[in-house]
Amino acid sequence: MSFTPEKMAPLKARRLGINTHHEPTLYLREDSPVCRSEGFESLSRITVNCQDRHIIASLNIVCSDLLEPEQAGFSESAWQMLDLKPNAEIWLSHPRPVQSLSYVRAKVYGHELDELQLQSIINDIVEGRYADVHLAAFITACGDDSLSDREITALTEAMVKAGSRIDWGLEQVIDKHCVGGLPGNRTTPIIVSILTACGLTVPKTSSRAITSPAGTADTMETLTEVALSLEQMRTVVNREKGCLAWGGSVRLSPADDMLIQVERALDIDSEGQLIASVLSKKLAAGATHVLIDIPVGPTAKVRSQEAAERLSESFKTVAHNLGLQLDVLLTDGSQPIGRGIGPALEARDILAVLQNKPDAPSDLRDRATLIAGAMLEMVGESAPGKGQQRAMEKITSGEAWDRFRRICEAQGGLKKPPVAPYRYALVAPSDCEVLDVDNRQLAKIAKLAGAPADPAAGIELHVKIGDKVEQYQPLLTIHAENAGELNYAVDYLTDHELVLTLSSNGKESTR
Amino acid sequence: MSFTPEKMAPLKARRLGINTHHEPTLYLREDSPVCRSEGFESLSRITVNCQDRHIIASLNIVCSDLLEPEQAGFSESAWQMLDLKPNAEIWLSHPRPVQSLSYVRAKVYGHELDELQLQSIINDIVEGRYADVHLAAFITACGDDSLSDREITALTEAMVKAGSRIDWGLEQVIDKHCVGGLPGNRTTPIIVSILTACGLTVPKTSSRAITSPAGTADTMETLTEVALSLEQMRTVVNREKGCLAWGGSVRLSPADDMLIQVERALDIDSEGQLIASVLSKKLAAGATHVLIDIPVGPTAKVRSQEAAERLSESFKTVAHNLGLQLDVLLTDGSQPIGRGIGPALEARDILAVLQNKPDAPSDLRDRATLIAGAMLEMVGESAPGKGQQRAMEKITSGEAWDRFRRICEAQGGLKKPPVAPYRYALVAPSDCEVLDVDNRQLAKIAKLAGAPADPAAGIELHVKIGDKVEQYQPLLTIHAENAGELNYAVDYLTDHELVLTLSSNGKESTR
C-alpha cells in the first residue's frame, strides 16, 4: 500500500521525556481526528513519518490534556530515532505487515528456518519493526533448545551483519566471556592486563550490569573512563594492545541488545540464543580466538556438569562453523569470587591482585591466571600446562599492573575507586562453620544497598564455604552511600532470608 | 520478603490519563530518590502499594518535568485498579518473583502442565502479575498445538474459575460461537430471535470488534442498548428468554480478554488457546449446549477442510470433558454474508431478514436458519433434519421479529440504525463475472471508512461470487460519516488492491 502521508493532516511533535527503553512509543489524544479516522487504538502499531525518516511505534492513547489535540507525543527512543525537533510535522499511517513475523510463526510451529529467514527476522528487529511481544514470541519459539547448530550459526551471522564490525587487521585478536555471573567474578581486567603484558591484542568491550550488582564496565568506571568511541578505542588498543571499554558506546550486534532485555524479563535464555548472543558480540568486536568460562554451581546460571558439557559442545560446533577458534573452561561456581560485590569493592580486589598485595584475594587471582593461562596456551604463547604459571609471573613481576595502569592512562587516567561511608557488619551468632553461600541472595542485597548506581555500595564478604568462624567474627559488611539504602539492605538481610548457611553446635542453622 | 512500605517515603499519585490498555504502567522521574535507591529502571516490574490495595505495574522513567519529583504518574488501568484519588500516597517495592512463570518456562521446555499449574498461571494473569511479554511467552509456548486435550480442559476450567460465572438454574441454556469472522456474518441476532421464539433460553453475550469492522455488540448497539449489567441482563432474560448484550460489562473469563489481545498482536492463535477461550466464555455465561460455526474458506480463519475437522474433534473432546453438549457446523467461508459490512449496514440486513422482506439477503437468512435449526435439533426441540424448516417458519410467521423487538425493548428500546451521508460507488469497468472476493481486503476498507467507531460507516457489497454484471453496474458502495474518511477508504481501494477478482472478455483482471 502506498498512502501518501500528505493526504492526512500533519501533527506537531512533542517530546514527552518518557523512557520506554528500545520500544518507541507514540502518544495521541483519543479525540484527535486521526485516531478516530484510522481506527487507531492503544497498543496499535503505527508508522510515524517525518520529513525524511519513518519508524514503527506502539501507540498509547491519551485521555487527558497532557497533549494538545494537534500534538503527537513521543517517547525518548521514538524522538531520537526520528531525530525530531519540537513542533516538527509528522504524519501517521498504518504499517505494512511485517513479513518476517510469519517466519517466527513458522518457528513456533516447529519448522527449521534458513539463513534468509533468520536474517530477515534480525533485520526487522534492528529496524524496530518488532514490538516487545514479538521479541518475546521469537525468544520463546527458540526455547527448548529448538534451534539446530545450523540455525544458531545462521542466527549469529545475521546478528553480526545487522551491526558494526571491527576489523583489527591482525591474525590474532583474543577475547573471553563468562557465561554465568557469579558475584565478584571480575577477572576480566586482570586477564586483559596479563595478556597485553604478554604482547597479545585484547580489545575488550564489556557490558554494564542489568540484573547484577556490577558489570565489568561499572567496575572499570570506578577506575577510569570507559565510554570510549570506536575511534578512541582504536587509539588505546594501538598504543597499549588492549582496552577495557564499555560495549554500549559501540554498535556491536544491536539485535542482541534488544533480545537480551526481553530474555531477562522472561528469564528464558535458551542455549541457542545464548550462543548467538555471545559469539555475535565477539565476532563483531573482531575477535579470532575466544575462551568461554562456564561456572557450574547450584546457584550459578549453569547448575550441572552435564548441562555445562552440552552447552560447551554447541559453543564449539557453532564457533567452528563461523571460523572462530574457541575453547571452554568449566569452573567452580559454588560461591562468590574475591571479597567485594559492587563496582568499587570489586575494583579494590582487582587492584590488590594486580599490585600483588599479600592480602589480595587468592581465589580471584587463581581464577584470573587460570583463564589467562588457558588463553595463552590457546594462541600458542605458552606450552600446554604452562600458561597459568606464565600468567602468574606477569602479576608477580608487576608487568600486569604496569600494563593496567597504562591502559587506564590511555583511556583517560587512573582513578581511585570511591569508598562508602555507611556500613553494617553481620557477625557470627556463635562459633560455627560456613556451610553454604547463596549467590543470588548476596547479589540482591548488594543491589538493595545501591549497587551498581551507587558505585561504592555493595557487600564485602569476609568468609568462604568451609571457613570456621568464632562468635562475633564478621561474616559480611554491607556498604552504602546513604543511610536509607543501608537500612533497606539490612532489612532484607534480617528478614528471614537464607544468605549464608551456618552450622552451629553440629546443628545446621541459617541466619 | 516482607518490606513494610512505610519505611520508604511515599509518593503522590497523579493520573496521567494515558491508556496503556490492560498493562498498568507507572511513571517515575529518573531523579526521584526511589528510582536511584531501588535501582528501578524503565520496564522494571514494580509493586505499587496504596492504603489498601497493591498491583504490579511496568515502569516508565520520565526524564522531563512532566512529573514533579515527588509524584508518581499512573496509566488509566493502574489508576483504576488501585482506585486512587489525586495526591493519594503510594509506596513502591520490588515485586515478589512470580512463581507461575516457572510453569510457563516448563511449557516452553515441552513439559505437560497439570491443573494446579495452569490455574496458577491463569490466576497470576488475572491478578496482573504478567507483563505483556509474559503473556506472549505463554501464548507462544502453547502454540504448535502443544496443549493436549487434557491441558486444554484444565486451562478452560482455570479460566472459568478466575472470573464470574452465571447460573441460570435451568437444564438447558443454549449458546453459539462462530470461529472465523467473515465480514457481515451477523447471524447471532437472528438466531437468538428464532430460538427464544421457540421457547429456548439464550442469554447471549457478544464482543465488540477489535480487528474486524463490526462485532455483534457493535451492530446491536445501533439497534438498542447493549452495555447491560449482570442484573439488567438477568431481568431481560427472565422476561424475554434471551438477550443480545455486550460481554464486556460482565466479567466472564477475564484471563481470556487479556490473552486475546496479545494473541491478536502476535497473530498466533493455537487450537488449544482458541478452544479454551471460546469454551471458558460459554461456561462462564452458564451455557449447557453450544453450537460452533466454523466457516472454511481461503480468506477465512480456517482455510481447509482437514484443519476444520481437526479443530472440530478437539472442540468435541474438551467439551465432553467439561460436561458441555457441543456440536460443530462447518460452513462456507468463501465470501461475505449479507450485503452490509459495518455496524449499521449489518443491522439493516438483520432487520430485513427478521421482517421477512422480499429483498432480504437470502444467504444471511439461510445461514441463520441453518445454525438455528441445528441448535433446535441439538436440544431436541426439532426432529433431526427438521430444524431449519422450523427456524424458517419463525421468520415467515413474524414471531422471530416480534421476539427481537421485545428483547430490544427490554434492553432499553428499539432504535433505527444510523445512515451515512457520504458514499462512493465502485462500478464494473466492463461486462464481466465476479470470480472472487477477498474477505480481508473488504474488512480493511470498511475499517478505513470508519467502522466500527463510526457506526454508519462500512461497505455495501452488491455482488456475490459467480454474479455476471454489466459495465457501470455498481459492485460495492463505501459508506462514511465524513468526506475525509471516505477519501481514505477510496484511496486504498483504488491503490492497486485485489478486492474483487473480475473476469473480462474471458481474460481475468483485477481492479
Side-chain angles (χ1 to χ4, degrees):
Chain A
M1 91 186 169
S2 68
F3 291 119
T4 44
E6 294 69 29
K7 287 191 179 152
M8 303 170 58
L11 294 166
K12 287 188 173 159
R14 175 163 159 215
R15 183 176 194 161
L16 284 177
I18 297 175
N19 179 353
T20 57
H21 238 287
H22 66 261
E23 187 165 279
T25 303
L26 179 78
Y27 303 84
L28 284 185
R29 265 175 71 137
E30 63 180 341
D31 56 2
S32 69
V34 69
C35 274
R36 291 194 63 238
S37 68
E38 298 300 301
F40 292 143
E41 304 176 321
S42 259
L43 304 194
S44 289
R45 299 286 282 169
I46 197 165
T47 300
V48 188
N49 310 276
C50 69
Q51 202 134 31
D52 47 6
R53 298 189 187 200
H54 63 97
I55 59 166
I56 300 181
S58 289
L59 180 62
N60 279 188
I61 298 282
V62 171
C63 53
S64 64
D65 47 13
L66 201 63
L67 292 171
E68 305 291 322
E70 77 285 359
Q71 281 182 332
F74 287 84
S75 73
E76 285 302 282
S77 51
W79 186 268
Q80 284 155 15
M81 285 161 81
L82 286 168
D83 195 20
L84 289 169
K85 301 276 173 290
N87 293 316
E89 291 194 330
I90 63 104
W91 294 264
L92 306 177
S93 52
H94 289 276
R96 286 164 180 277
V98 180
Q99 172 63 28
S100 71
L101 286 174
S102 67
Y103 310 142
V104 173
R105 285 189 287 274
K107 189 76 224 164
V108 173
Y109 287 93
H111 300 287
E112 185 160 9
L113 300 183
D114 65 25
E115 287 164 35
L116 285 178
Q117 290 170 327
L118 286 163
Q119 186 72 60
S120 159
I121 289 172
I122 292 300
N123 289 349
D124 282 339
I125 289 174
V126 172
E127 296 292 327
R129 297 196 187 98
Y130 279 38
D132 279 350
V133 291
H134 301 130
L135 294 176
F138 178 55
I139 290 161
T140 306
C142 297
D144 194 19
D145 303 333
S146 71
L147 293 181
S148 66
D149 284 347
R150 207 190 56 73
E151 285 177 304
I152 301 173
T153 304
L155 181 62
T156 309
E157 283 188 310
M159 286 164 80
V160 173
K161 279 189 197 155
S164 314
R165 186 166 183 175
I166 310 176
D167 181 0
W168 298 98
L170 294 170
E171 261 176 49
Q172 282 186 350
V173 175
I174 194 161
D175 206 337
K176 64 153 297 247
H177 182 82
C178 175
V179 160
L182 289 181
N185 189 16
R186 204 59 56 214
T187 56
T188 298
I190 304 168
I191 293 167
V192 170
S193 306
I194 292 170
L195 297 177
T196 50
C198 293
L200 297 176
T201 299
V202 199
K204 189 88 196 81
T205 60
S206 305
S207 61
R208 291 185 194 280
I210 300 194
T211 59
S212 72
T216 295
D218 299 308
T219 298
M220 282 307 303
E221 200 169 35
T222 69
L223 293 163
T224 188
E225 291 296 319
V226 294
L228 307 185
S229 67
L230 188 53
E231 207 41 58
Q232 292 172 312
M233 186 173 151
R234 278 185 192 280
T235 308
V236 174
V237 174
N238 286 339
R239 199 166 115 186
E240 304 298 343
K241 296 252 169 210
C243 68
L244 284 154
W246 171 45
S249 31
V250 197
R251 196 176 139 90
L252 303 174
S253 194
D256 184 46
D257 296 336
M258 298 166 82
L259 286 166
I260 276 182
Q261 189 181 328
V262 177
E263 282 167 17
R264 288 203 171 100
L266 296 177
D267 205 2
I268 291 176
D269 190 6
S270 71
E271 238 174 72
Q273 291 278 4
L274 169 66
I275 294 169
S277 164
V278 171
L279 297 189
S280 68
K281 279 265 161 60
K282 300 305 170 203
L283 283 166
T288 60
H289 293 69
V290 174
L291 189 108
I292 303 291
D293 173 16
I294 306 182
V296 187
T299 55
K301 185 164 187 171
V302 177
R303 301 186 184 203
S304 74
Q305 191 70 18
E306 302 75 55
E309 278 162 15
R310 240 186 0 255
L311 181 59
S312 174
E313 279 316 301
S314 261
F315 256 118
K316 287 176 185 168
T317 306
V318 174
H320 177 79
N321 293 344
L322 295 164
L324 195 62
Q325 295 285 323
L326 182 141
D327 275 351
V328 176
L329 268 188
L330 306 191
T331 55
D332 173 19
S334 59
Q335 59 183 327
I337 305 302
R339 297 195 189 99
I341 301 170
L345 292 165
E346 294 179 24
R348 283 163 61 180
D349 284 350
I350 289 164
L351 293 178
V353 169
L354 284 170
Q355 294 167 354
N356 202 24
K357 294 211 171 143
D359 62 345
S362 58
D363 58 343
L364 178 63
R365 186 193 57 214
D366 293 348
R367 181 178 286 247
T369 53
L370 176 76
I371 297 170
M375 293 169 82
L376 286 168
E377 292 172 21
M378 190 181 177
V379 297
E381 272 293 314
S382 291
K386 301 288 181 197
Q388 184 163 19
Q389 190 190 330
R390 175 136 186 248
M392 199 59 169
E393 285 163 11
K394 293 292 166 189
I395 288 182
T396 48
S397 70
E399 287 169 87
W401 168 231
D402 182 53
R403 182 62 63 165
F404 182 81
R405 276 191 305 171
R406 282 163 55 181
I407 290 173
C408 289
E409 289 302 334
Q411 289 191 192
L414 179 65
K415 298 189 290 189
K416 274 197 181 160
V419 171
Y422 292 88
R423 313 275 172 97
Y424 172 90
L426 174 71
V427 299
S430 60
D431 293 3
C432 59
E433 185 182 339
V434 179
L435 298 178
D436 205 0
V437 176
D438 189 318
N439 293 315
R440 291 162 197 233
Q441 296 293 352
L442 279 174
K444 189 151 203 170
I445 295 169
K447 289 197 287 178
L448 289 172
D454 296 350
I459 293 176
E460 234 180 324
L461 187 61
H462 306 293
V463 293
K464 295 278 166 193
I465 295 173
D467 281 1
K468 293 195 168 55
V469 289
E470 292 177 10
Q471 191 178 25
Y472 303 135
Q473 189 177 326
L475 300 166
L476 60 83
T477 304
I478 301 175
H479 291 235
E481 296 192 4
N482 59 61
E485 286 167 295
L486 184 67
N487 287 339
Y488 200 49
V490 171
D491 277 357
Y492 186 91
L493 176 67
T494 52
D495 208 20
H496 316 103
E497 291 295 331
L498 186 70
V499 177
L500 298 175
T501 309
L502 306 173
S503 77
S504 178
N505 307 324
K507 185 177 141 242
E508 279 190 28
S509 82
T510 67
R511 81 147 320 287
Chain B
M1 91 186 170
S2 68
F3 291 119
T4 44
E6 293 70 28
K7 287 193 178 151
M8 303 168 59
L11 294 166
K12 288 189 173 159
R14 174 162 161 216
R15 184 178 195 162
L16 283 178
I18 297 175
N19 179 354
T20 57
H21 238 289
H22 67 260
E23 186 165 281
T25 303
L26 179 78
Y27 302 84
L28 283 185
R29 261 173 76 132
E30 63 180 343
D31 56 1
S32 71
V34 69
C35 274
R36 291 195 63 240
S37 67
E38 298 301 302
F40 291 142
E41 304 176 322
S42 260
L43 305 194
S44 290
R45 299 285 284 167
I46 196 164
T47 300
V48 188
N49 310 275
C50 68
Q51 201 135 33
D52 47 6
R53 298 188 186 199
H54 63 97
I55 60 167
I56 300 182
S58 289
L59 179 62
N60 278 187
I61 299 283
V62 171
C63 53
S64 65
D65 46 14
L66 201 65
L67 293 170
E68 305 290 323
E70 77 285 358
Q71 281 182 333
F74 287 84
S75 73
E76 286 301 284
S77 51
W79 186 268
Q80 283 155 17
M81 286 162 80
L82 285 168
D83 196 19
L84 289 169
K85 301 275 174 288
N87 292 316
E89 291 193 331
I90 63 105
W91 293 265
L92 304 178
S93 52
H94 288 276
R96 286 164 181 278
V98 181
Q99 173 63 29
S100 71
L101 286 174
S102 66
Y103 310 143
V104 173
R105 285 189 286 275
K107 189 75 225 165
V108 173
Y109 287 93
H111 301 287
E112 185 160 10
L113 300 183
D114 65 25
E115 287 165 34
L116 285 178
Q117 290 170 326
L118 285 163
Q119 186 73 59
S120 156
I121 289 172
I122 293 299
N123 289 349
D124 282 338
I125 289 175
V126 172
E127 296 292 329
R129 296 195 189 99
Y130 278 39
D132 279 350
V133 291
H134 301 129
L135 295 175
F138 179 55
I139 290 161
T140 306
C142 297
D144 195 19
D145 303 334
S146 71
L147 293 181
S148 65
D149 284 347
R150 207 190 57 73
E151 286 177 302
I152 302 173
T153 305
L155 181 62
T156 309
E157 282 187 311
M159 286 164 78
V160 173
K161 279 188 196 155
S164 313
R165 186 166 182 175
I166 311 175
D167 181 0
W168 297 99
L170 292 170
E171 262 176 50
Q172 282 186 349
V173 175
I174 194 160
D175 207 337
K176 64 153 295 249
H177 181 83
C178 174
V179 160
L182 289 182
N185 189 16
R186 205 59 57 214
T187 55
T188 298
I190 303 169
I191 294 168
V192 169
S193 305
I194 292 170
L195 297 177
T196 49
C198 293
L200 298 176
T201 298
V202 198
K204 189 85 196 83
T205 60
S206 305
S207 60
R208 290 187 194 278
I210 301 195
T211 61
S212 71
T216 295
D218 299 306
T219 297
M220 282 307 303
E221 200 168 36
T222 69
L223 293 164
T224 187
E225 290 297 318
V226 295
L228 307 185
S229 68
L230 189 52
E231 208 40 58
Q232 292 171 313
M233 185 173 151
R234 278 187 190 282
T235 307
V236 174
V237 174
N238 287 338
R239 199 165 115 188
E240 304 297 342
K241 297 251 170 212
C243 67
L244 285 154
W246 172 45
S249 30
V250 197
R251 199 177 137 91
L252 302 174
S253 194
D256 184 45
D257 296 336
M258 298 166 82
L259 285 167
I260 275 182
Q261 189 181 329
V262 177
E263 282 167 18
R264 287 202 173 101
L266 296 178
D267 204 4
I268 291 175
D269 190 7
S270 72
E271 241 174 68
Q273 291 278 5
L274 168 67
I275 294 169
S277 163
V278 171
L279 297 189
S280 69
K281 279 266 161 60
K282 300 303 169 205
L283 283 166
T288 60
H289 293 68
V290 174
L291 188 107
I292 303 291
D293 173 16
I294 306 183
V296 187
T299 55
K301 186 164 186 171
V302 177
R303 302 186 184 204
S304 74
Q305 189 71 16
E306 303 74 57
E309 278 161 14
R310 242 188 356 257
L311 180 60
S312 174
E313 279 316 300
S314 260
F315 255 118
K316 287 175 184 168
T317 306
V318 174
H320 177 80
N321 292 344
L322 295 165
L324 195 63
Q325 295 286 322
L326 182 139
D327 275 352
V328 176
L329 268 189
L330 306 191
T331 54
D332 173 20
S334 59
Q335 59 183 327
I337 305 301
R339 295 194 191 100
I341 301 169
L345 292 165
E346 295 179 24
R348 284 164 61 180
D349 284 350
I350 290 164
L351 292 178
V353 169
L354 285 169
Q355 292 167 356
N356 201 25
K357 293 213 172 141
D359 63 344
S362 58
D363 58 343
L364 178 63
R365 185 192 59 214
D366 294 349
R367 182 178 286 247
T369 53
L370 176 76
I371 298 170
M375 293 169 81
L376 285 169
E377 293 173 22
M378 189 181 177
V379 297
E381 271 294 313
S382 291
K386 302 286 182 199
Q388 183 164 18
Q389 191 190 329
R390 174 136 187 247
M392 199 61 171
E393 285 163 11
K394 292 293 165 189
I395 287 182
T396 48
S397 71
E399 288 170 84
W401 168 232
D402 183 54
R403 182 62 64 165
F404 181 80
R405 277 191 304 172
R406 282 163 56 183
I407 289 172
C408 289
E409 289 301 335
Q411 290 191 190
L414 179 66
K415 298 189 290 189
K416 273 198 181 157
V419 171
Y422 292 88
R423 314 274 171 97
Y424 172 89
L426 174 72
V427 298
S430 60
D431 293 4
C432 59
E433 183 181 340
V434 179
L435 298 178
D436 205 0
V437 177
D438 190 317
N439 292 315
R440 291 164 196 229
Q441 296 293 353
L442 279 174
K444 188 151 203 171
I445 295 170
K447 288 197 287 175
L448 290 172
D454 297 350
I459 292 176
E460 233 180 323
L461 187 61
H462 306 295
V463 293
K464 296 277 168 194
I465 293 173
D467 281 1
K468 293 195 170 55
V469 288
E470 291 177 10
Q471 190 177 26
Y472 303 136
Q473 189 178 326
L475 300 166
L476 61 82
T477 304
I478 302 175
H479 291 234
E481 297 192 5
N482 59 62
E485 284 168 296
L486 184 67
N487 287 338
Y488 201 49
V490 172
D491 277 357
Y492 186 90
L493 176 67
T494 53
D495 209 18
H496 316 101
E497 290 296 332
L498 187 68
V499 176
L500 298 176
T501 308
L502 306 174
S503 77
S504 177
N505 307 322
K507 185 174 142 246
E508 278 190 28
S509 82
T510 66
R511 78 148 324 289

